[in-house]
Amino acid sequence: MLELQSLSIDQYGFIGNVFSFGLAVMASTTLFLWLMMSSAAPTYRMAITISGLVTAIAAYHYLQIMLSWDGAASVASGEVVVSGEGFNRAYRYVDWLLTVPLLLVELILVMKLSKAETLSRSIRLGGAAALMIVLGYPGEVAGNVGTRAIFWILSMIPFIYIVRELVIGLKESISKQPDNVKGLISKAAILVVASWAFYPIVYLLPLLGVTGGSAIVVVETGYTIADIMAKAVFGLLIFVIAIRKSEAEADVNAVEAAPAEQASPVKKGS
Ligand code: RET
């Protein structure tokens, strides 16, 4: 299943371009987030730093994925010839293992909850995310449909837990957020759920009758689109939330500072 020799030349070339596009998006989003970070108030810079870290880790892995793709096969006398090196699917999973818990922490951080709540939510959701990825890998590299199906089911357990926590658990915290970001934070939570739902569906497609070269195209393109939504688009949304919250807090501080100045005017020269 998912063997490279079933690819046509066009399919092999197309997937290479998809990886290259993924690398460009991740690297440029990293630059943008880190360069623009100082526009947000210091409290929110940690969330933006982490957003940039997530896309930086992804950019590195897309480079590795691209190199592994190039090394795994080549085009000779009108067909795709496999080199025997194999295409390393572990890069994606190691990338997810590092970035998925960070993404969840990012969402929690930008909400500025109490220290205890931030820590307990980060540990629970981050741990479940790591478990979900680890359980998915054996099925991804398995040669048969049965193993893929079993690990899909196992990995869906922590997945459903995370989605449930995000939808139900965060709802209450969202209602406490300032009005100008409430909608955006709900959108970020929806983007997480929608883009995350993509992964188990893509994983399942080879089990639903998509076979040969098309299966590899669908899986690799599907994961890359989902990665761009879950990391780059999500990271930019977090950036906008951080800027809006910084602005709202600057306004509150200005209003609080104004009457205080009137009550005790500082006399120059006294
Ligand atoms: C797997 C295996 C099959 C079942 C499930 C999976 C879920 C994967 C997810 C990955 C999310 C990755 C992200 C990466 C971006 O940084 C492992 C495909 C449920 C949800 C968000």
Side-chain angles (χ1 to χ4, degrees):
M1 207 169 64
L2 302 184
E3 265 105 28
L4 263 55
Q5 51 265 43
S6 44
L7 288 165
S8 71
I9 295 180
D10 285 347
Q11 286 172 332
Y12 179 70
F14 176 77
I15 297 176
N17 290 338
V18 167
F19 293 151
S20 163
F21 178 69
L23 171 59
V25 171
M26 298 300 177
S28 50
T29 307
T30 308
L31 275 179
F32 175 83
L33 291 171
W34 285 347
L35 288 173
M36 296 298 288
M37 189 163 61
S38 54
S39 348
T43 344
Y44 300 109
R45 289 186 195 159
M46 170 91 121
I48 301 174
T49 306
I50 296 181
S51 291
L53 263 181
V54 166
T55 48
I57 294 171
Y60 164 76
H61 283 110
Y62 270 96
L63 178 65
Q64 290 287 26
I65 289 171
M66 229 173 73
L67 294 175
S68 172
W69 188 251
D70 283 347
S74 57
V75 174
S77 44
E79 58 179 318
V80 175
V81 182
V82 227
S83 71
E85 264 177 46
F87 172 51
N88 190 349
R89 293 188 165 86
Y91 287 128
R92 242 188 221 296
Y93 277 75
V94 173
D95 175 70
W96 293 345
L97 199 56
L98 294 168
T99 56
V100 175
L102 285 175
L103 279 173
L104 287 166
V105 170
E106 200 178 302
L107 185 63
I108 295 165
L109 269 182
V110 86
M111 301 177 75
K112 235 171 87 181
L113 305 166
S114 73
K115 268 209 174 104
E117 207 181 344
T118 301
L119 192 69
S120 81
R121 276 185 200 277
S122 301
I123 292 174
R124 271 185 293 140
L125 292 180
L131 188 65
M132 169 185 83
I133 306 301
V134 169
L135 287 173
Y137 186 66
E140 185 77 70
V141 294
N144 65 77
V145 172
T147 316
R148 200 174 177 97
I150 290 169
F151 284 98
W152 183 82
I153 295 170
L154 290 177
S155 178
M156 282 305 280
I157 299 167
F159 176 78
I160 290 168
Y161 168 75
I162 299 172
V163 171
R164 195 183 155 276
E165 270 290 291
L166 281 181
V167 175
I168 302 168
L170 295 182
K171 214 176 199 168
E172 190 200 343
S173 319
I174 288 171
S175 66
K176 292 185 214 140
Q177 297 293 316
D179 282 342
N180 71 334
V181 291
K182 225 177 238 167
L184 276 179
I185 294 192
S186 309
K187 277 204 186 86
I190 293 168
L191 179 68
V192 169
V193 175
S195 59
W196 286 38
F198 222 74
Y199 294 88
I201 296 173
V202 170
Y203 187 97
L204 210 54
L205 289 175
L207 302 180
L208 302 177
V210 186
T211 53
S214 315
I216 308 182
V217 171
V218 169
V219 168
E220 296 308 333
T221 312
Y223 284 157
T224 307
I225 295 173
D227 270 355
I228 289 175
M229 300 305 289
K231 294 176 165 111
V233 177
F234 176 75
L236 294 173
L237 202 54
I238 290 288
F239 175 78
V240 176
I241 292 170
I243 297 288
R244 292 241 185 122
K245 287 188 86 163
S246 307
E247 282 168 5
E249 281 158 30
D251 289 347
V252 170
N253 291 344
V255 169
E256 278 170 4
E261 270 167 24
Q262 278 171 7
S264 56
V266 181
K267 286 188 193 113
K268 276 200 185 112
S270 59

